[in-house]
């Protein structure tokens, strides 16, 4: 199977965008025959939520969500207009909200990082990879 790509253009929206991105990702994973309740599926949906939420909170909203499915993996890319790299902020305590998104990426993703946008408009793309469920 060759890599398959799905794109969702968001244009910097923030209202309802996390739900929209989760639904888009769930439909793509269904099409790619990922089991609906597999740990890898749930991890992918959670990580999409975190990456999109971070773009909403810290970068003015995501421009685009790209899903790249290849044998054994899913690569998620969230682009935004802020050129600043993501940086962990001190958590205000384990029981309080905030400051945990990048920790989740580090623990659940096979890998993650960021790169400057290649579109000439500035900004960056945060990417992460999730292992596909066993066949």
């Amino acid at each position: 199977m060759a890599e398959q790509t799905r794109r969702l253009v968001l244009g910097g929206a923030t209202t309802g965008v996390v739900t929209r991105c989760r639904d888009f990702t769930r439909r793509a994973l269904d099409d790619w025959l990922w089991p609906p309740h597999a740990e890898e599926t749930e991890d992918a949906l959670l990580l999409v939520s975190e990456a999109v939420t971070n773009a909403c909170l810290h970068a003015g909203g995501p421009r685009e969500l790209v899903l790249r499915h290849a044998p054994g993996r899913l690569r998620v890319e969230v682009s935004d207009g802020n050129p600043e790299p993501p940086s962990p902020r001190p958590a205000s305590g384990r029981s309080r909200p905030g400051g945990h998104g990048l920790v989740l990426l580090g623990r659940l993703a096979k890998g993650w990082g960021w790169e400057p946008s290649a579109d000439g408009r500035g900004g960056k793309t945060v990417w992460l990879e999730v292992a596909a469920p066993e066949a």
Side-chain angles (χ1 to χ4, degrees), residues 39-111:
E39 183 176 320
E40 295 88 351
T41 303
E42 295 300 325
D43 287 353
L45 293 169
L46 176 60
L47 292 171
V48 165
S49 295
E50 286 298 328
V52 172
T53 297
N54 283 348
C56 289
L57 294 175
H58 308 294
R63 288 182 182 164
E64 184 176 47
L65 169 66
V66 178
L67 305 175
R68 299 181 192 280
H69 184 254
R73 72 167 176 85
L74 172 71
R75 181 178 170 103
V76 175
E77 300 172 1
V78 178
S79 299
D80 62 54
N82 184 344
E84 294 297 316
S87 61
R89 58 185 187 120
S92 52
R94 288 185 174 166
S95 63
R96 300 189 65 190
H100 305 287
L102 295 180
V103 172
L104 281 173
L105 263 65
R107 290 193 177 164
L108 295 179
K110 280 179 50 176

Side-chain angles (χ1 to χ4, degrees), residues 25-40:
T25 303
R26 184 176 299 280
R27 284 190 304 274
L29 295 177
D30 286 347
D31 289 348
W32 295 326
L33 304 177
W34 283 43
H37 301 291
E39 183 176 320
E40 295 88 351

Side-chain angles (χ1 to χ4, degrees), residues 1 3 21 37 62 65 76 81 90 97 106 116 118 126 128:
M1 169 180 76
E3 182 177 273
C21 289
H37 301 291
L65 169 66
V76 175
V126 175
L128 61 98

Side-chain angles (χ1 to χ4, degrees), residues 8 14-25 27 49 52:
L8 178 62
T14 56
T15 303
V17 73
V18 175
T19 300
R20 189 172 169 206
C21 289
R22 277 182 67 93
D23 291 346
F24 177 82
T25 303
R27 284 190 304 274
S49 295
V52 172

